[in-house]
């Protein structure tokens, strides 16, 4: 069984989704909300998403890729939002391997070499 | 004949057939660094700046207890970093006690949870391991989690944890394999004892601990374990902190004794037996006096050995390439450009003979070496007046000569020592010791009373010492020191 993707929005839904996949490797990409035309308010997220998606075929079997929209710009800028407080996110886009200290933040997500390393190496 | 003709055309093949490794005429890499610790990583990252093709090999042979760790070397994983964090944990415990005198009110008894602390520390270390891997990959440095050893000129074999072997060649090599804790060689030591390699990731609270050794590793670990509320005994063969100023060393020992650390002096363990299984279980340690025939038995939950560290130079094939090592200590002698007796093989860090075993020294040496190799500079690493700090419960910062060494080198009549006790303002209200913090400078009277030794015992000793180290490097004299106005109210103004 290969890998699967879940697309969700907001912190409570993220927590529920991650818990439901407990025991399997979980990778998550956090991006700013998209408008009606599908464009994110976060320009770096717009750049990063296609680069990350191009590397998804490297995901290990049984793993889950959670694509998570965090909220609008005002929500994100609030230093006390749940993503910052509980997941210790410092910027968007963030790509991480859930439950480990392994993550790539902002421009690091533009580098396909690093994305591939996160997906394939221990 | 056809056979002879073929051999002539391919002398390398002939050599291989006969068991000799040929010298390659073109290399896989410009530089291979063996060891991904402080020195190795600094050298590798620097070399990448000059567009060199670099590989780093890093491999941790698991401890007898099964502990292992990621990229970054001793300092990051089982040294300075976790040590300072756990020391901080102990200091915070003290601060909580002091806080009551400053008006903080809390009725519950304050307890310490080993697992919570250890998980946080290991999580931070994990982020550092990952950070190094990102940095190397980003700079296009190849990293292999594999054990490297020389098999012939310019050639190493890398064996990963699955046993897969690969050969690589390079024009230049830097050995930065560091050290591992020494065991005592007594019955039961490997099976029952732990070392600093195990302590910082121990998945259970060590409980009542016997620390064997009198090095800074032993005293720092004993110090924070006691600070966290554990019952700690230190077994010392002879003196404390060999190589450090002995007056300062004794003050550190006295402070620890008065603050709950037991010392057993002039004894060495001769046997360790497990009396009860468990995590941690119970051990019975038999020890013999160094001054007579007395034998004692000590019971503990955990026995931590901190009796020295040995360089990882015996099993990396140095004999295959002719690199000299000190047979007794395992250390590698190098010239003042960190070059071994084999011109294309260099070494940095703790494995060097007669050099300081400190992370910043290894980093500096690694960086400068690579700059000399690839950027045409000539700057050599300055090993003189390197400041250090021992993070015992009462911290000790030092730079330059100890009093003994100064007397030996310059003669007692040419040395003047200025000293003073001090009472940190923060310690007054909670009624903490008023006569323990201490500072001294050693001056050379034949050279304008130049400050050649700086020693301070007190809180934040490291922070205090760093600035004075820069002043000493500039040739600080007593007069200049006296004419510098103090900041008030701080410890360093003394």
């Amino acid at each position: 069984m290969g890998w699967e993707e879940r697309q969700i929005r907001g912190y409570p839904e993220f927590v529920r989704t991650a818990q439901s996949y407990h025991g399997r490797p979980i990778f998550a990409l956090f991006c700013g909300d998209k408008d009606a035309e599908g464009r994110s308010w976060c320009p770096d997220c717009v750049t990063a998403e296609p680069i990350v998606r191009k590397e998804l075929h490297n995901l290990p079997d049984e793993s889950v890729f959670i694509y998570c929209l965090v909220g609008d710009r005002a929500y994100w800028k609030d230093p006390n939002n749940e993503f910052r407080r509980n997941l210790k996110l410092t910027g968007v886009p963030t790509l991480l391997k859930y439950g480990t200290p392994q993550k790539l933040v902002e421009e690091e997500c533009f580098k396909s070499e690093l994305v591939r390393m996160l997906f394939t190496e221990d | 004949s056809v056979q002879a003709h073929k051999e002539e055309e391919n002398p390398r093949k002939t050599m291989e057939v006969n068991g000799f490794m040929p010298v390659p005429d073109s290399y896989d890499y410009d530089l291979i660094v063996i060891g991904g610790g402080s020195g190795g990583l600094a050298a590798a990252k620097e070399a990448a700046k000059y567009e060199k093709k670099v590989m780093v090999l890093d491999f941790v042979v698991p401890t007898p207890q099964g502990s292992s760790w990621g990229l970054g070397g001793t300092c990051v994983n089982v040294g300075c970093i976790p040590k300072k964090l756990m020391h901080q944990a102990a200091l915070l415990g003290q601060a909580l006690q002091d806080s009551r005198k400053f008006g903080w009110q809390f009725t519950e008894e304050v307890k310490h949870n080993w697992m919570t602390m250890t998980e946080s520390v290991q999580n931070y270390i994990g982020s550092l391991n990952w950070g190094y891997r990102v940095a190397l990959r980003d700079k296009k440095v190849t990293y292999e989690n594999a054990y490297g050893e020389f098999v012939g000129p310019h050639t190493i074999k890398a064996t990963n944890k699955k046993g897969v072997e690969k050969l690589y060649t390079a024009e230049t090599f830097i050995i930065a394999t560091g050290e591992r804790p020494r065991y005592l060689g007594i019955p039961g030591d490997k099976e029952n004892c732990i070392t600093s390699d195990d302590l910082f990731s121990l998945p259970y609270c060590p409980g009542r601990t016997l620390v064997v050794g009198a090095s800074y590793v032993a005293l720092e670990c004993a110090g924070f374990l006691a600070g966290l509320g554990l019952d700690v005994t230190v077994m010392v063969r002879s003196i404390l902190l060999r190589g450090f100023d002995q007056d300062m060393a004794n003050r550190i020992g006295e402070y620890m004794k008065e603050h709950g650390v037991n010392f057993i002096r002039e004894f060495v363990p001769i046997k360790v037996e497990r009396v009860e299984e468990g995590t941690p279980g119970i051990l019975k340690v038999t020890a013999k006096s160094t001054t007579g025939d007395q034998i004692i038995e000590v019971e503990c939950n955990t026995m931590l050995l901190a009796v020295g560290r040995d360089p990882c130079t015996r099993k990396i094939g140095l004999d295959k390439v002719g690199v000299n090592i000190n047979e007794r200590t395992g250390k590698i002698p190098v010239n003042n450009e960190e070059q071994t007796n084999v011109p294309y093989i260099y070494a940095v860090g703790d494995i060097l003979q007669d050099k300081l075993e400190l992370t910043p020294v290894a980093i500096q040496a690694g960086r400068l070496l690579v700059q000399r190799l690839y950027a045409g500079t000539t700057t050599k690493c300055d090993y003189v007046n390197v400041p250090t700090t021992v993070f015992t419960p009462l911290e000790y910062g030092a730079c330059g000569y100890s009093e003994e060494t100064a007397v030996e080198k310059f003669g007692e009549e040419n040395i003047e020592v200025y000293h003073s006790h001090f009472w940190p303002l923060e310690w007054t209200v909670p009624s903490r010791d008023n006569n323990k913090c201490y500072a001294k400078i050693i001056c050379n009277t034949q050279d304008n009373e130049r400050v050649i030794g700086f020693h301070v015992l007190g809180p934040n000793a490291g922070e205090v010492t760093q600035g004075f180290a820069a002043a000493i490097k500039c040739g600080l004299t007593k007069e200049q020191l006296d004419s510098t106005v103090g900041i008030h109210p701080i410890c360093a103004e003394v």
Side-chain angles (χ1 to χ4, degrees), chain A residues 100-104 108 111 113-114 117-118 121-122, chain B residues 122-123 125-127 130 133-134 137-138 140 143 161:
Chain A
T100 77
Q102 298 184 355
K103 64 179 181 179
L104 298 173
E108 289 177 340
K111 301 180 180 175
E113 275 281 317
L114 298 182
M117 182 168 82
L118 180 72
E121 290 179 30
D122 263 331
Chain B
Q122 286 302 318
N123 209 48
I125 292 174
S127 72
W130 174 250
R133 290 175 58 197
V134 168
R137 183 63 66 95
D138 203 30
K140 312 264 184 284
Y143 157 60
K161 59 180 175 223

PDB file of all heavy atoms in Angstrom, chain A residues 100-104 108 111 113-114 117-118 121-122, chain B residues 122-123 125-127 130 133-134 137-138 140 143 161:
ATOM      1  N   THR A 100       8.694  14.051  15.108  1.00  0.00           N
ATOM      2  CA  THR A 100      10.165  14.101  15.115  1.00  0.00           C
ATOM      3  C   THR A 100      10.584  15.557  15.038  1.00  0.00           C
ATOM      4  O   THR A 100       9.778  16.423  14.724  1.00  0.00           O
ATOM      5  CB  THR A 100      10.775  13.374  13.895  1.00  0.00           C
ATOM      6  OG1 THR A 100      10.644  14.216  12.736  1.00  0.00           O
ATOM      7  CG2 THR A 100      10.123  12.036  13.645  1.00  0.00           C
ATOM      8  N   PRO A 101      11.859  15.857  15.337  1.00  0.00           N
ATOM      9  CA  PRO A 101      12.306  17.247  15.170  1.00  0.00           C
ATOM     10  C   PRO A 101      12.643  17.596  13.720  1.00  0.00           C
ATOM     11  O   PRO A 101      13.178  18.666  13.439  1.00  0.00           O
ATOM     12  CB  PRO A 101      13.583  17.312  16.021  1.00  0.00           C
ATOM     13  CG  PRO A 101      13.876  15.945  16.503  1.00  0.00           C
ATOM     14  CD  PRO A 101      12.900  15.000  15.925  1.00  0.00           C
ATOM     15  N   GLN A 102      12.293  16.703  12.780  1.00  0.00           N
ATOM     16  CA  GLN A 102      12.698  16.935  11.386  1.00  0.00           C
ATOM     17  C   GLN A 102      11.694  17.827  10.674  1.00  0.00           C
ATOM     18  O   GLN A 102      10.525  17.478  10.531  1.00  0.00           O
ATOM     19  CB  GLN A 102      12.839  15.588  10.669  1.00  0.00           C
ATOM     20  CG  GLN A 102      13.929  14.745  11.314  1.00  0.00           C
ATOM     21  CD  GLN A 102      14.181  13.454  10.585  1.00  0.00           C
ATOM     22  OE1 GLN A 102      13.481  13.119   9.631  1.00  0.00           O
ATOM     23  NE2 GLN A 102      15.189  12.726  11.021  1.00  0.00           N
ATOM     24  N   LYS A 103      12.169  18.984  10.237  1.00  0.00           N
ATOM     25  CA  LYS A 103      11.271  19.867   9.495  1.00  0.00           C
ATOM     26  C   LYS A 103      12.043  20.791   8.581  1.00  0.00           C
ATOM     27  O   LYS A 103      13.245  20.994   8.739  1.00  0.00           O
ATOM     28  CB  LYS A 103      10.427  20.690  10.462  1.00  0.00           C
ATOM     29  CG  LYS A 103      11.202  21.644  11.336  1.00  0.00           C
ATOM     30  CD  LYS A 103      10.231  22.419  12.226  1.00  0.00           C
ATOM     31  CE  LYS A 103      10.967  23.404  13.114  1.00  0.00           C
ATOM     32  NZ  LYS A 103      10.054  24.166  13.965  1.00  0.00           N
ATOM     33  N   LEU A 104      11.330  21.353   7.603  1.00  0.00           N
ATOM     34  CA  LEU A 104      11.891  22.349   6.694  1.00  0.00           C
ATOM     35  C   LEU A 104      10.984  23.558   6.754  1.00  0.00           C
ATOM     36  O   LEU A 104       9.752  23.435   6.747  1.00  0.00           O
ATOM     37  CB  LEU A 104      11.941  21.802   5.259  1.00  0.00           C
ATOM     38  CG  LEU A 104      12.824  20.577   5.052  1.00  0.00           C
ATOM     39  CD1 LEU A 104      12.658  20.032   3.646  1.00  0.00           C
ATOM     40  CD2 LEU A 104      14.288  20.911   5.308  1.00  0.00           C
ATOM     41  N   GLU A 108      13.583  26.722   2.868  1.00  0.00           N
ATOM     42  CA  GLU A 108      14.117  25.349   2.842  1.00  0.00           C
ATOM     43  C   GLU A 108      13.184  24.453   2.034  1.00  0.00           C
ATOM     44  O   GLU A 108      13.619  23.470   1.435  1.00  0.00           O
ATOM     45  CB  GLU A 108      14.273  24.803   4.270  1.00  0.00           C
ATOM     46  CG  GLU A 108      15.403  25.466   5.039  1.00  0.00           C
ATOM     47  CD  GLU A 108      15.509  24.983   6.483  1.00  0.00           C
ATOM     48  OE1 GLU A 108      14.513  24.435   7.015  1.00  0.00           O
ATOM     49  OE2 GLU A 108      16.583  25.166   7.088  1.00  0.00           O
ATOM     50  N   LYS A 111      13.793  23.678  -1.805  1.00  0.00           N
ATOM     51  CA  LYS A 111      14.910  22.865  -2.283  1.00  0.00           C
ATOM     52  C   LYS A 111      14.498  21.398  -2.354  1.00  0.00           C
ATOM     53  O   LYS A 111      14.365  20.739  -1.318  1.00  0.00           O
ATOM     54  CB  LYS A 111      16.105  23.047  -1.362  1.00  0.00           C
ATOM     55  CG  LYS A 111      16.530  24.519  -1.312  1.00  0.00           C
ATOM     56  CD  LYS A 111      17.716  24.765  -0.425  1.00  0.00           C
ATOM     57  CE  LYS A 111      18.040  26.263  -0.447  1.00  0.00           C
ATOM     58  NZ  LYS A 111      19.095  26.642   0.455  1.00  0.00           N
ATOM     59  N   GLU A 113      16.059  18.781  -3.075  1.00  0.00           N
ATOM     60  CA  GLU A 113      17.009  17.863  -2.424  1.00  0.00           C
ATOM     61  C   GLU A 113      16.641  17.666  -0.952  1.00  0.00           C
ATOM     62  O   GLU A 113      16.680  16.558  -0.434  1.00  0.00           O
ATOM     63  CB  GLU A 113      18.416  18.488  -2.451  1.00  0.00           C
ATOM     64  CG  GLU A 113      19.192  18.252  -3.718  1.00  0.00           C
ATOM     65  CD  GLU A 113      19.784  16.860  -3.736  1.00  0.00           C
ATOM     66  OE1 GLU A 113      20.315  16.413  -2.713  1.00  0.00           O
ATOM     67  OE2 GLU A 113      19.692  16.207  -4.795  1.00  0.00           O
ATOM     68  N   LEU A 114      16.321  18.791  -0.275  1.00  0.00           N
ATOM     69  CA  LEU A 114      16.015  18.716   1.148  1.00  0.00           C
ATOM     70  C   LEU A 114      14.665  18.034   1.376  1.00  0.00           C
ATOM     71  O   LEU A 114      14.504  17.258   2.310  1.00  0.00           O
ATOM     72  CB  LEU A 114      16.018  20.121   1.767  1.00  0.00           C
ATOM     73  CG  LEU A 114      17.346  20.877   1.708  1.00  0.00           C
ATOM     74  CD1 LEU A 114      17.226  22.223   2.406  1.00  0.00           C
ATOM     75  CD2 LEU A 114      18.466  20.079   2.335  1.00  0.00           C
ATOM     76  N   MET A 117      15.176  14.447   1.062  1.00  0.00           N
ATOM     77  CA  MET A 117      15.874  13.919   2.246  1.00  0.00           C
ATOM     78  C   MET A 117      14.885  13.710   3.385  1.00  0.00           C
ATOM     79  O   MET A 117      14.884  12.691   4.063  1.00  0.00           O
ATOM     80  CB  MET A 117      16.975  14.896   2.683  1.00  0.00           C
ATOM     81  CG  MET A 117      17.782  14.392   3.867  1.00  0.00           C
ATOM     82  SD  MET A 117      19.277  15.323   4.178  1.00  0.00           S
ATOM     83  CE  MET A 117      18.685  16.701   5.104  1.00  0.00           C
ATOM     84  N   LEU A 118      13.989  14.691   3.587  1.00  0.00           N
ATOM     85  CA  LEU A 118      12.997  14.570   4.656  1.00  0.00           C
ATOM     86  C   LEU A 118      12.089  13.366   4.423  1.00  0.00           C
ATOM     87  O   LEU A 118      11.763  12.623   5.341  1.00  0.00           O
ATOM     88  CB  LEU A 118      12.149  15.850   4.732  1.00  0.00           C
ATOM     89  CG  LEU A 118      11.073  15.873   5.808  1.00  0.00           C
ATOM     90  CD1 LEU A 118      11.698  16.012   7.182  1.00  0.00           C
ATOM     91  CD2 LEU A 118      10.089  17.007   5.577  1.00  0.00           C
ATOM     92  N   GLU A 121      14.856   9.755   4.126  1.00  0.00           N
ATOM     93  CA  GLU A 121      15.924   9.316   5.032  1.00  0.00           C
ATOM     94  C   GLU A 121      15.484   9.331   6.473  1.00  0.00           C
ATOM     95  O   GLU A 121      14.598  10.083   6.870  1.00  0.00           O
ATOM     96  CB  GLU A 121      17.158  10.208   4.850  1.00  0.00           C
ATOM     97  CG  GLU A 121      17.834   9.988   3.520  1.00  0.00           C
ATOM     98  CD  GLU A 121      19.034  10.904   3.349  1.00  0.00           C
ATOM     99  OE1 GLU A 121      19.659  11.242   4.375  1.00  0.00           O
ATOM    100  OE2 GLU A 121      19.335  11.269   2.205  1.00  0.00           O
ATOM    101  N   ASP A 122      16.164   8.510   7.267  1.00  0.00           N
ATOM    102  CA  ASP A 122      15.885   8.490   8.699  1.00  0.00           C
ATOM    103  C   ASP A 122      16.577   9.648   9.386  1.00  0.00           C
ATOM    104  O   ASP A 122      16.344   9.984  10.474  1.00  0.00           O
ATOM    105  CB  ASP A 122      16.402   7.184   9.307  1.00  0.00           C
ATOM    106  CG  ASP A 122      15.282   6.165   9.420  1.00  0.00           C
ATOM    107  OD1 ASP A 122      14.142   6.597   9.576  1.00  0.00           O
ATOM    108  OD2 ASP A 122      15.584   4.964   9.360  1.00  0.00           O
TER     109      ASP A 122
ATOM    110  N   GLN B 122      16.593  15.576  24.695  1.00  0.00           N
ATOM    111  CA  GLN B 122      16.814  14.743  23.510  1.00  0.00           C
ATOM    112  C   GLN B 122      16.099  15.311  22.286  1.00  0.00           C
ATOM    113  O   GLN B 122      16.580  15.205  21.158  1.00  0.00           O
ATOM    114  CB  GLN B 122      16.347  13.303  23.784  1.00  0.00           C
ATOM    115  CG  GLN B 122      17.282  12.536  24.701  1.00  0.00           C
ATOM    116  CD  GLN B 122      18.697  12.451  24.148  1.00  0.00           C
ATOM    117  OE1 GLN B 122      18.902  12.224  22.952  1.00  0.00           O
ATOM    118  NE2 GLN B 122      19.689  12.670  24.989  1.00  0.00           N
ATOM    119  N   ASN B 123      14.960  15.928  22.515  1.00  0.00           N
ATOM    120  CA  ASN B 123      14.235  16.541  21.411  1.00  0.00           C
ATOM    121  C   ASN B 123      15.044  17.681  20.801  1.00  0.00           C
ATOM    122  O   ASN B 123      15.131  17.829  19.583  1.00  0.00           O
ATOM    123  CB  ASN B 123      12.913  17.087  21.947  1.00  0.00           C
ATOM    124  CG  ASN B 123      11.860  17.085  20.881  1.00  0.00           C
ATOM    125  OD1 ASN B 123      11.690  16.082  20.213  1.00  0.00           O
ATOM    126  ND2 ASN B 123      11.201  18.203  20.711  1.00  0.00           N
ATOM    127  N   ILE B 125      18.319  18.004  20.988  1.00  0.00           N
ATOM    128  CA  ILE B 125      19.464  17.398  20.313  1.00  0.00           C
ATOM    129  C   ILE B 125      19.051  16.865  18.942  1.00  0.00           C
ATOM    130  O   ILE B 125      19.764  17.019  17.948  1.00  0.00           O
ATOM    131  CB  ILE B 125      20.077  16.277  21.177  1.00  0.00           C
ATOM    132  CG1 ILE B 125      20.723  16.880  22.427  1.00  0.00           C
ATOM    133  CG2 ILE B 125      21.097  15.469  20.397  1.00  0.00           C
ATOM    134  CD1 ILE B 125      21.221  15.839  23.425  1.00  0.00           C
ATOM    135  N   GLY B 126      17.862  16.258  18.871  1.00  0.00           N
ATOM    136  CA  GLY B 126      17.353  15.759  17.594  1.00  0.00           C
ATOM    137  C   GLY B 126      17.244  16.873  16.567  1.00  0.00           C
ATOM    138  O   GLY B 126      17.546  16.680  15.386  1.00  0.00           O
ATOM    139  N   SER B 127      16.828  18.052  17.014  1.00  0.00           N
ATOM    140  CA  SER B 127      16.700  19.153  16.060  1.00  0.00           C
ATOM    141  C   SER B 127      18.085  19.614  15.600  1.00  0.00           C
ATOM    142  O   SER B 127      18.255  20.047  14.461  1.00  0.00           O
ATOM    143  CB  SER B 127      15.904  20.311  16.653  1.00  0.00           C
ATOM    144  OG  SER B 127      16.651  20.985  17.632  1.00  0.00           O
ATOM    145  N   TRP B 130      19.289  17.039  12.971  1.00  0.00           N
ATOM    146  CA  TRP B 130      18.598  17.307  11.713  1.00  0.00           C
ATOM    147  C   TRP B 130      19.170  18.560  11.052  1.00  0.00           C
ATOM    148  O   TRP B 130      19.424  18.592   9.853  1.00  0.00           O
ATOM    149  CB  TRP B 130      17.093  17.465  11.962  1.00  0.00           C
ATOM    150  CG  TRP B 130      16.314  17.888  10.764  1.00  0.00           C
ATOM    151  CD1 TRP B 130      15.708  19.096  10.558  1.00  0.00           C
ATOM    152  CD2 TRP B 130      16.080  17.122   9.576  1.00  0.00           C
ATOM    153  NE1 TRP B 130      15.107  19.131   9.318  1.00  0.00           N
ATOM    154  CE2 TRP B 130      15.317  17.931   8.704  1.00  0.00           C
ATOM    155  CE3 TRP B 130      16.436  15.832   9.166  1.00  0.00           C
ATOM    156  CZ2 TRP B 130      14.904  17.487   7.442  1.00  0.00           C
ATOM    157  CZ3 TRP B 130      16.018  15.396   7.923  1.00  0.00           C
ATOM    158  CH2 TRP B 130      15.258  16.219   7.068  1.00  0.00           C
ATOM    159  N   ARG B 133      22.294  17.859   9.209  1.00  0.00           N
ATOM    160  CA  ARG B 133      22.066  17.122   7.966  1.00  0.00           C
ATOM    161  C   ARG B 133      21.548  18.056   6.880  1.00  0.00           C
ATOM    162  O   ARG B 133      21.951  17.959   5.711  1.00  0.00           O
ATOM    163  CB  ARG B 133      21.106  15.963   8.213  1.00  0.00           C
ATOM    164  CG  ARG B 133      21.779  14.882   9.042  1.00  0.00           C
ATOM    165  CD  ARG B 133      20.857  13.783   9.423  1.00  0.00           C
ATOM    166  NE  ARG B 133      20.278  13.158   8.245  1.00  0.00           N
ATOM    167  CZ  ARG B 133      19.197  12.396   8.286  1.00  0.00           C
ATOM    168  NH1 ARG B 133      18.601  12.172   9.443  1.00  0.00           N
ATOM    169  NH2 ARG B 133      18.725  11.859   7.204  1.00  0.00           N
ATOM    170  N   VAL B 134      20.657  18.976   7.256  1.00  0.00           N
ATOM    171  CA  VAL B 134      20.154  19.949   6.285  1.00  0.00           C
ATOM    172  C   VAL B 134      21.300  20.830   5.793  1.00  0.00           C
ATOM    173  O   VAL B 134      21.443  21.078   4.600  1.00  0.00           O
ATOM    174  CB  VAL B 134      19.034  20.809   6.918  1.00  0.00           C
ATOM    175  CG1 VAL B 134      18.705  22.002   6.041  1.00  0.00           C
ATOM    176  CG2 VAL B 134      17.792  19.974   7.151  1.00  0.00           C
ATOM    177  N   ARG B 137      23.569  18.854   3.401  1.00  0.00           N
ATOM    178  CA  ARG B 137      22.923  18.580   2.118  1.00  0.00           C
ATOM    179  C   ARG B 137      22.788  19.863   1.317  1.00  0.00           C
ATOM    180  O   ARG B 137      22.992  19.880   0.109  1.00  0.00           O
ATOM    181  CB  ARG B 137      21.534  17.950   2.366  1.00  0.00           C
ATOM    182  CG  ARG B 137      20.801  17.548   1.111  1.00  0.00           C
ATOM    183  CD  ARG B 137      21.525  16.474   0.341  1.00  0.00           C
ATOM    184  NE  ARG B 137      21.588  15.218   1.043  1.00  0.00           N
ATOM    185  CZ  ARG B 137      20.730  14.205   0.874  1.00  0.00           C
ATOM    186  NH1 ARG B 137      19.736  14.313   0.038  1.00  0.00           N
ATOM    187  NH2 ARG B 137      20.883  13.092   1.546  1.00  0.00           N
ATOM    188  N   ASP B 138      22.459  20.935   2.006  1.00  0.00           N
ATOM    189  CA  ASP B 138      22.282  22.218   1.336  1.00  0.00           C
ATOM    190  C   ASP B 138      23.587  22.699   0.713  1.00  0.00           C
ATOM    191  O   ASP B 138      23.590  23.337  -0.335  1.00  0.00           O
ATOM    192  CB  ASP B 138      21.787  23.245   2.367  1.00  0.00           C
ATOM    193  CG  ASP B 138      21.067  24.383   1.713  1.00  0.00           C
ATOM    194  OD1 ASP B 138      20.457  24.163   0.652  1.00  0.00           O
ATOM    195  OD2 ASP B 138      21.111  25.489   2.249  1.00  0.00           O
ATOM    196  N   LYS B 140      25.814  20.755  -0.379  1.00  0.00           N
ATOM    197  CA  LYS B 140      26.246  19.675  -1.266  1.00  0.00           C
ATOM    198  C   LYS B 140      27.414  18.868  -0.708  1.00  0.00           C
ATOM    199  O   LYS B 140      28.258  18.371  -1.464  1.00  0.00           O
ATOM    200  CB  LYS B 140      26.637  20.220  -2.661  1.00  0.00           C
ATOM    201  CG  LYS B 140      25.627  21.168  -3.270  1.00  0.00           C
ATOM    202  CD  LYS B 140      24.693  20.449  -4.232  1.00  0.00           C
ATOM    203  CE  LYS B 140      23.740  21.387  -4.927  1.00  0.00           C
ATOM    204  NZ  LYS B 140      22.650  21.826  -4.061  1.00  0.00           N
ATOM    205  N   TYR B 143      27.045  13.128   2.966  1.00  0.00           N
ATOM    206  CA  TYR B 143      27.152  12.581   4.317  1.00  0.00           C
ATOM    207  C   TYR B 143      26.749  11.112   4.283  1.00  0.00           C
ATOM    208  O   TYR B 143      25.705  10.759   3.740  1.00  0.00           O
ATOM    209  CB  TYR B 143      26.252  13.363   5.273  1.00  0.00           C
ATOM    210  CG  TYR B 143      25.847  12.598   6.520  1.00  0.00           C
ATOM    211  CD1 TYR B 143      26.799  12.131   7.409  1.00  0.00           C
ATOM    212  CD2 TYR B 143      24.506  12.328   6.800  1.00  0.00           C
ATOM    213  CE1 TYR B 143      26.438  11.426   8.551  1.00  0.00           C
ATOM    214  CE2 TYR B 143      24.135  11.634   7.938  1.00  0.00           C
ATOM    215  CZ  TYR B 143      25.098  11.179   8.803  1.00  0.00           C
ATOM    216  OH  TYR B 143      24.732  10.484   9.926  1.00  0.00           O
ATOM    217  N   LYS B 161      25.511   0.556   8.828  1.00  0.00           N
ATOM    218  CA  LYS B 161      25.062  -0.318   9.908  1.00  0.00           C
ATOM    219  C   LYS B 161      24.490  -1.634   9.418  1.00  0.00           C
ATOM    220  O   LYS B 161      24.317  -2.565  10.189  1.00  0.00           O
ATOM    221  CB  LYS B 161      24.078   0.402  10.827  1.00  0.00           C
ATOM    222  CG  LYS B 161      22.840   0.930  10.187  1.00  0.00           C
ATOM    223  CD  LYS B 161      21.974   1.613  11.236  1.00  0.00           C
ATOM    224  CE  LYS B 161      20.778   2.266  10.566  1.00  0.00           C
ATOM    225  NZ  LYS B 161      20.505   3.585  11.091  1.00  0.00           N
TER     226      LYS B 161
END
